[in-house]
Amino acid sequence: MAERRVYMNGRLVPESEAAVSIYDSALMFGDMVFEMTRSFNGEHFKLREHLERLYAGLRILRIPLETTIDEMTGAVHRTVEANREAFAPDDEHRVMIDVTRGLLGIYHGVVGADPGPNLIIADFPLRWTVRGMGELFETGINAAIPSQRAIPARLLDPKIKNRSRLHYLMANIQVSDRRGENNWALLLDPDGYVAEGTGDNFFIVKDGAVLTPGGRNVLRGISRAYVLDELCPQLGLSCAERNLEPYDVYCADEAFMTGTPFCLLPVTGLEGLPIGDGRPGPVTRRLLAQWSENVGVDIPAQIQVWNDADADLGDAPSPYAFRRR
Amino acid sequence: MAERRVYMNGRLVPESEAAVSIYDSALMFGDMVFEMTRSFNGEHFKLREHLERLYAGLRILRIPLETTIDEMTGAVHRTVEANREAFAPDDEHRVMIDVTRGLLGIYHGVVGADPGPNLIIADFPLRWTVRGMGELFETGINAAIPSQRAIPARLLDPKIKNRSRLHYLMANIQVSDRRGENNWALLLDPDGYVAEGTGDNFFIVKDGAVLTPGGRNVLRGISRAYVLDELCPQLGLSCAERNLEPYDVYCADEAFMTGTPFCLLPVTGLEGLPIGDGRPGPVTRRLLAQWSENVGVDIPAQIQVWNDADADLGDAPSPYAFRRR
Amino acid sequence: MAERRVYMNGRLVPESEAAVSIYDSALMFGDMVFEMTRSFNGEHFKLREHLERLYAGLRILRIPLETTIDEMTGAVHRTVEANREAFAPDDEHRVMIDVTRGLLGIYHGVVGADPGPNLIIADFPLRWTVRGMGELFETGINAAIPSQRAIPARLLDPKIKNRSRLHYLMANIQVSDRRGENNWALLLDPDGYVAEGTGDNFFIVKDGAVLTPGGRNVLRGISRAYVLDELCPQLGLSCAERNLEPYDVYCADEAFMTGTPFCLLPVTGLEGLPIGDGRPGPVTRRLLAQWSENVGVDIPAQIQVWNDADADLGDAPSPYAFRRR
Amino acid sequence: MAERRVYMNGRLVPESEAAVSIYDSALMFGDMVFEMTRSFNGEHFKLREHLERLYAGLRILRIPLETTIDEMTGAVHRTVEANREAFAPDDEHRVMIDVTRGLLGIYHGVVGADPGPNLIIADFPLRWTVRGMGELFETGINAAIPSQRAIPARLLDPKIKNRSRLHYLMANIQVSDRRGENNWALLLDPDGYVAEGTGDNFFIVKDGAVLTPGGRNVLRGISRAYVLDELCPQLGLSCAERNLEPYDVYCADEAFMTGTPFCLLPVTGLEGLPIGDGRPGPVTRRLLAQWSENVGVDIPAQIQVWNDADADLGDAPSPYAFRRR
Amino acid sequence: MAERRVYMNGRLVPESEAAVSIYDSALMFGDMVFEMTRSFNGEHFKLREHLERLYAGLRILRIPLETTIDEMTGAVHRTVEANREAFAPDDEHRVMIDVTRGLLGIYHGVVGADPGPNLIIADFPLRWTVRGMGELFETGINAAIPSQRAIPARLLDPKIKNRSRLHYLMANIQVSDRRGENNWALLLDPDGYVAEGTGDNFFIVKDGAVLTPGGRNVLRGISRAYVLDELCPQLGLSCAERNLEPYDVYCADEAFMTGTPFCLLPVTGLEGLPIGDGRPGPVTRRLLAQWSENVGVDIPAQIQVWNDADADLGDAPSPYAFRRR
Amino acid sequence: MAERRVYMNGRLVPESEAAVSIYDSALMFGDMVFEMTRSFNGEHFKLREHLERLYAGLRILRIPLETTIDEMTGAVHRTVEANREAFAPDDEHRVMIDVTRGLLGIYHGVVGADPGPNLIIADFPLRWTVRGMGELFETGINAAIPSQRAIPARLLDPKIKNRSRLHYLMANIQVSDRRGENNWALLLDPDGYVAEGTGDNFFIVKDGAVLTPGGRNVLRGISRAYVLDELCPQLGLSCAERNLEPYDVYCADEAFMTGTPFCLLPVTGLEGLPIGDGRPGPVTRRLLAQWSENVGVDIPAQIQVWNDADADLGDAPSPYAFRRR
């Protein structure tokens, strides 16, 4: 298959050469805003929403990117187009858009004049990100609460999708130490409220209502918004933002997590105790089924097919998981 | 002059090619431990202490680097040696050592097997980092307290010298908005205690005693330790770690910041009010003079010489400064 | 023009003699409850609401004022009446009502028996308070977030309109240091939520809805209540109390502040970044226009007329601004 | 006896006319720095230390008083001199020095040009302040912990002796509700550490050591410093700043409070439980005796004499007490 | 009258022998989940709701009780039946259900094999719990805010009805020190919001709406739920969960507390200040009257009858009151 | 062997009958103060210190026990004497002293007049408490940081050795979920500092100094005091109280925990990472050896002998461990 190419400030370079200078602010400060999207049947999903969130972050961080949102949309399409040969027919696209501030001022001497921000667009098969996840649609995952707390927005705003997130990794390290299978980290904020996973948003279902933490100490996920603003209304489900504590999760009927690559995964346990009857619940199933129908892809089945095909590659149980070696 | 080369996992590559894959954990999470050292007359200063701090960070973050500390020392020397031709006779070396966890598991497919952590060693002229700082030894800097608070160690430990530091940049953005010259950010922690600058440690002098915040919500700088453990005892100065509030700084006799590239800079104002008489104080001057004597380099003079030579390049007023365009 | 007179415990004294004993609890503890109202075409606006808030504060602080709310209403009218000659025809009234606990017990010997609380009612031209503000209705103000945080209600309740507010002044001092024009302080509370200005309430407009912080760590302004409870319903605008973070303000379509003297001023920037397109927005304009219509006064025009007439007096850019000399 | 006169910006006015304009920033914001001293045998005690603390506050609050510290010392002496006839032979002087920022900018029109800060110096008999306290040297006081917490320095710095202290009054209101006699408020800070009384500093004695809370969330009293830096060393007593919790006070051998008017009062109970054996302890007595000897005045006896003479005036049990009517 | 018997793990034992081993985890850690119900005319009220709350606590605390909820219901009925002879005709039943984890592992040697959790069901006359409360329906109680704060749910979840509640007792101790009658503790949480009493939930009535703190840092009382979910809708009263501060209570029209034994008691004062006109308000009275009607018992009258009959026994003014001896 | 008997308010009852009424305040609120001591060669160790701590708790909780400390000492000795026949020759005594407030007032009717507090003294073989611990002196334990935080002293003072400690149990539940062996919970306080285990105190050794958290948010253990005040001075080791963070523990040379039954156990890991070289360190060994010598008992060997003899009973790996069934 053809080698993939990555958009780097207007040029398409081989993926293995897509790299960021060691003097870039992104590597110095975690100073990068990014987005990661996916396709369904090759169609980008909510690309505009992703890009608007990206531009909000760029403004607040004062990254002076001159590319407009429409130009960037064009660049995404161009990149995907350029990689057509590098994808299998049943692949979906996972597009990663990174914007860095560029070289720190003190290193401008390294390359001459200040080259300004970097815009990087990569496109690779979604199947990698969801390795081993197929079965999780049936077993569900166990949410494990690490000692690490979410950094609250008053100190570092998670609503800006940035790369300064070492605390996510600490949470994953801590959770890797738990007995049992399929443990994913669920962070509490310093007030003891459920915040988010390390790359996913959390929901419960209680007495028929779909509830998720308010958009404060969390990334406001595009999938999260899709559930709240489109899927639940479509299905006539009541849904709301609500402060959630572990007590609420223990007493919930169902729970699930949302994330771009896998869309929606059942959470069937909290700290090893079953939620509800310990199996994916009916509301969770309805939401996933409706999502699949809306996008014309059987989401779990597609992932299971890839998993079966890639079984020899081993699992990557959470998209951001830390794995002990 | 010859092009500089950078050590990348055992190979020396041209500096302009020294880059980190866009799929590296360092770019995904700010997941990198690093050190930056300097030389005096070409001799590395406190290299061992820097490396020991680096290895403490690697252990706590569970980055499974297999290189030993002695091997790394060798690699540093080898890198400097390889760049000898690329430095002017009066240059000093600024060595940057980065260790990243490597490619995230979900991208291992990109390059085949998991290549493991990356060790990067770069060596470039110190003069870049201290551009425009020569005069600050006389004028001093004004410490400006931004609205942004230091992230406390209970949420993300700054004692691990990591790259997940977007909040430093937010502090610099906020301070760039102040009237007057030579404003450097001085962060308070959430308890209202002085923490640190965005890349430097803070000291006051009061009634002859040298005081600095305890090593909790700060990076424990190597220069900070040199002042506390070597310079002050050598000069018979009392010194101690102490909680400091803005009130203490307003009432101080002198203040200064320490950082590897410039060693020690006077702080002559806080929020625009002069500290003491608003000029570099006698204890500050003695410390800097003794440091210069100990290392055989007139520290401010050397920087001033470089600044004069590079005057056409413009300033980079703080090593980590945000600059409005 | 006639000299103004001030109501002091039942007597009308010349304004230049209206003063509070140096032994009064108000000067010892900031122990005073007060209100400041304004008129439109000489008619008091929301006087009853102001007085009810005053009496709530008196009760909670256990200030044993014996004057009833109706008697106080009468005293206000009497004071205004007595000053009729001292106002220009186009003036509006700014009435200040102060109640202090009176002399501290330890000073009762100074004047004999305990004279009890003081009731002071002053009436002066509103035009002073709004000097230089006329143009702000077009340019808008830039909200600047100081390092100083709002004191939360659990420590000192801002809903009691008291005079123990040195922290407002600290916020104004800090903001006086910002580059650019028309910076007004916007305080965050310790949780990082937007609280209020130093004498005004803050609103944003997002997707057509008018939002303002809940009435917890803020003074619950009478103008704020007028927007929430009367103007928005009158215009069919959705409005609500909501926790707001800087992120929400950066992403808002419009923003404004309310305060008794100026009613409603556009906020067109936050920390120097434009909000929306950086100009007063349509909802802001509609609210101000409706308010003007309701009270029969073109609010911005009236202020502009005064400003033009008083141009030689210089500006007082915020009603409570700190000005560097 | 002659009427007392008060120094007001260079003029001496009758005490009954010593008042602050209702438009002064002091009355608007609690924006005043002040000191209150006392004499022993007519000699000012620690006047220089009081004035230095005053000037620190003025600087930090940016109150642009032009009077120098030496000029102010002269003004104090002049004021006391002018009141000589108004004091009984056995009276001591209580001097109050107030500095206000002056009229708010928006009221400058009231009196013409900006008159700048106000300096007020009053001198009155100390006996008023210590009414009814004579017996407390034998019975001791009961420290009562109110629900109100000290405002921590990160929000409003108590080390600046300012007048924005309504929370002190709330504490006194709360404590006035307790059963039993001689209840004085003892505030905890939000971390649960003992801070201070509402106008006095707190100490315990444990195993022979004299301990007091560190100078953070407290006014750093001049009497406090006298105990720490002079009396304890003179008596060979170990003394230190230490975080103190209620537990430490319950387990203490002795406790006392210090304040300028009464110097040092035993605290014999906490929340109604006796401390030690419930009587003034030997270290407390030694400190008070030594203090009396150092200043040539039997401190408790002098107060008791005044109390006996003024018995018909009733008590003012704490210098800052709230009294229910 | 016959002696009462208590259900202990399937056996009925005389009440005087109903005791828990000194080695039980309940005595070691406060490790017990419990419920206390009451009857109306001998009919259990909301027994199912109580038991469901009990089982939620058992799950979260991982107490491996094997008894099902239906079996437990049977045991309750059996216990009540067994005690029929021990109750007067006009008595109501107060049933207490305790579940302990059982002997700590280290004491298993004491009694042989691990006997597992203990289930204890006691039934005693409700009249004991409400001694002296009859008059409170007319006078109301005064809510007194102690210095002790509620332990927030992030540290110890009060929604699990457990016995680890020494802080309730500390609150009661503190409040026992207040002047006046009928003081009941009302705890604030660390954020300064009203939480709950030490065994009861708190409500205010404001502008016709019934408001109570959200179910976070409080026990979610069954009586509380009855008011929110049944009584208010039945009476057409608006009701909601809302953050309440002391300010809101001071400004409320009415207030009341709910608790299982007394159902609903008026709160007519806060910290000694009257709420509303200081008498039980009309909404409070309507709620209590409707409750009485719904259950077929005149709730206050029944208690008053018992109180009159038991007048010689003295009062127990709060069900959980601390009484100074 | 003879059955053990327990002292209950002056009577000696069979251990199987030693129980607390279900209506006791201890079971209602966790309202009990207690101590647990041990002997060496049958001699009580630090009995006086334990009892003094007990009496401090009784005072603060206002439990009106009339027994004096000397009478209680006598009762302890009497109880041990009475059980002589029930102990094996090589047994040591574990004495548990419980004081409860007694029946709640509302249950006084149950048994007639108020019987007042209960004093319970039990004596049982220490070997039960240390089952399976013998090998830990060689392997060390792994300190695991749970999500549960220590309740800080400002909310519930752990220095009062009380039974309201459900949060200890939650910590143990959370830690029971970790992979690997010998995990003991180590709680952080809400500031992120190391507090204590769930029944033991924590120490590190760094550069030869022995360091332990200050006595604030911890029980101030008698064994802890023995190490600080006696063993370290005896061995010439520097020791101090110090705020410790996980970072400090990761960088420590050695670590250990102290507790009455086992005295001192090595901690060889934190969160699965080895501390030092992952084996008990030399300072730890010296302390334990000296302790053994001082008390005339080889502490680890004695425990190992018991463990070997009781091997068939299974382990109780931590004295307060939660064990999943």
Side-chain angles (χ1 to χ4, degrees), chain C residues 23-33 57-64 99-108 117 155-157 160 162-164, chain D residues 144 146-151 156 162-177 183-187 196-199 318-325, chain E residues 250 271:
Chain C
Y23 300 129
D24 195 284
S25 183
L27 278 165
M28 293 287 166
F29 288 108
D31 177 18
M32 185 201 281
V33 188
L58 293 174
R59 281 186 78 235
I60 296 174
L61 295 183
R62 279 77 168 173
I63 295 181
V99 183
T100 84
R101 193 180 304 275
L103 286 190
L104 280 191
I106 52 173
Y107 304 110
H108 287 175
L155 291 171
L156 184 61
D157 201 326
I160 301 166
N162 71 78
R163 294 297 201 182
S164 198
Chain D
S147 173
Q148 171 77 48
R149 292 292 183 268
I151 297 181
L156 184 60
N162 71 78
R163 295 297 201 181
S164 199
R165 307 188 299 180
L166 194 52
H167 58 296
Y168 279 14
L169 206 85
M170 284 305 303
N172 287 342
I173 288 171
Q174 291 172 0
V175 164
S176 71
D177 207 21
N183 294 307
W184 287 32
L186 179 65
L187 282 91
E196 59 184 355
T198 58
S318 149
Y320 302 103
F322 169 83
R323 294 184 306 168
R324 297 190 176 267
R325 289 150 195 268
Chain E
Y250 281 125
E271 292 280 281

Side-chain angles (χ1 to χ4, degrees), chain C residues 82-285:
Chain C
N83 280 304
R84 187 170 302 275
E85 300 302 303
F87 281 70
D90 75 337
D91 270 344
E92 298 285 6
H93 296 267
R94 180 121 173 92
V95 174
M96 176 171 78
I97 306 159
D98 284 344
V99 183
T100 84
R101 193 180 304 275
L103 286 190
L104 280 191
I106 52 173
Y107 304 110
H108 287 175
V110 175
V111 296
D114 173 8
N118 291 306
L119 170 58
I120 304 166
I121 303 170
D123 176 22
F124 61 92
L126 178 67
R127 64 197 307 162
W128 298 347
T129 305
V130 294
R131 266 204 312 247
M133 287 188 192
E135 67 182 25
L136 300 182
F137 290 95
E138 288 309 316
T139 61
I141 57 182
N142 176 53
I145 298 175
S147 173
Q148 171 78 47
R149 293 292 183 268
I151 297 181
R154 68 177 176 273
L155 291 171
L156 184 61
D157 201 326
K159 295 183 286 293
I160 301 166
K161 194 171 169 93
N162 71 78
R163 294 297 201 182
S164 198
R165 309 189 295 179
L166 194 51
H167 59 296
Y168 279 13
L169 206 87
M170 284 304 304
N172 287 343
I173 288 172
Q174 291 171 1
V175 164
S176 71
D177 207 21
R178 299 295 175 90
R179 298 182 197 278
E181 300 296 317
N182 301 330
N183 295 307
W184 287 32
L186 179 64
L187 282 91
L188 305 184
D189 68 21
D191 291 327
Y193 292 118
V194 171
E196 58 184 358
T198 56
D200 19 64
N201 289 113
F202 183 81
F203 289 76
I204 65 169
V205 183
K206 176 70 178 176
D207 296 335
V210 176
L211 303 171
T212 194
R216 169 157 168 73
N217 290 332
V218 305
L219 183 75
R220 294 177 183 168
I222 304 295
S223 300
R224 173 182 178 274
Y226 185 62
V227 169
L228 282 177
D229 299 337
E230 300 187 42
L231 276 186
C232 282
Q234 185 179 5
L235 290 168
L237 292 167
S238 139
C239 63
E241 297 187 346
R242 193 71 53 84
N243 283 334
L244 298 178
E245 302 172 83
Y247 185 88
D248 299 306
V249 182
Y250 281 125
C251 297
D253 302 320
E254 311 177 30
F256 57 88
M257 275 180 165
T258 57
T260 293
F262 52 79
C263 298
L264 190 154
L265 274 178
V267 177
T268 50
L270 175 67
E271 292 279 281
L273 263 197
I275 295 172
D277 65 0
R279 288 179 301 178
V283 173
T284 303
R285 291 188 184 281

Side-chain angles (χ1 to χ4, degrees), chain E residues 45-99:
Chain E
F45 184 68
K46 301 283 174 191
L47 178 60
R48 187 76 187 187
E49 285 82 350
H50 279 281
L51 294 184
E52 285 175 351
R53 186 172 64 181
L54 180 80
Y55 274 82
L58 294 175
R59 280 186 78 234
I60 297 174
L61 294 183
R62 279 77 167 172
I63 295 180
L65 183 73
E66 290 177 4
T67 309
T68 67
I69 195 166
D70 288 330
E71 290 165 354
M72 193 182 286
T73 306
V76 168
H77 288 300
R78 189 143 49 96
T79 305
V80 171
E81 194 60 35
N83 280 304
R84 188 172 301 276
E85 301 301 303
F87 281 70
D90 74 337
D91 270 344
E92 298 285 6
H93 296 266
R94 182 123 172 91
V95 173
M96 176 171 79
I97 307 159
D98 285 344
V99 184

Side-chain angles (χ1 to χ4, degrees), chain C residues 24-54:
Chain C
D24 195 284
S25 183
L27 278 165
M28 293 287 166
F29 288 108
D31 177 18
M32 185 201 281
V33 188
F34 75 107
E35 289 295 326
M36 301 189 78
T37 70
R38 69 161 287 174
S39 65
F40 292 105
N41 287 328
E43 294 289 311
H44 297 299
F45 184 69
K46 302 282 174 190
L47 177 60
R48 187 76 188 186
E49 286 81 351
H50 279 281
L51 294 183
E52 285 174 350
R53 186 172 62 179
L54 180 79

Side-chain angles (χ1 to χ4, degrees), chain E residues 287-298:
Chain E
L287 286 164
L288 188 58
Q290 187 65 52
W291 196 331
S292 293
E293 186 180 323
N294 289 359
V295 297
V297 169
D298 183 328

Side-chain angles (χ1 to χ4, degrees), chain E residues 84-163:
Chain E
R84 188 172 301 276
E85 301 301 303
F87 281 70
D90 74 337
D91 270 344
E92 298 285 6
H93 296 266
R94 182 123 172 91
V95 173
M96 176 171 79
I97 307 159
D98 285 344
V99 184
T100 84
R101 193 179 305 275
L103 286 189
L104 283 191
I106 52 173
Y107 304 110
H108 286 176
V110 176
V111 296
D114 174 7
N118 290 306
L119 169 58
I120 303 166
I121 304 170
D123 176 23
F124 61 92
L126 177 66
R127 64 199 303 163
W128 297 347
T129 305
V130 294
R131 267 205 311 247
M133 285 188 190
E135 66 181 27
L136 300 182
F137 289 95
E138 288 308 316
T139 62
I141 56 182
N142 176 53
I145 299 174
S147 172
Q148 171 77 47
R149 293 290 183 270
I151 297 181
R154 68 177 175 273
L155 291 171
L156 184 60
D157 201 324
K159 296 184 285 293
I160 301 167
K161 193 172 171 91
N162 70 78
R163 295 296 200 181

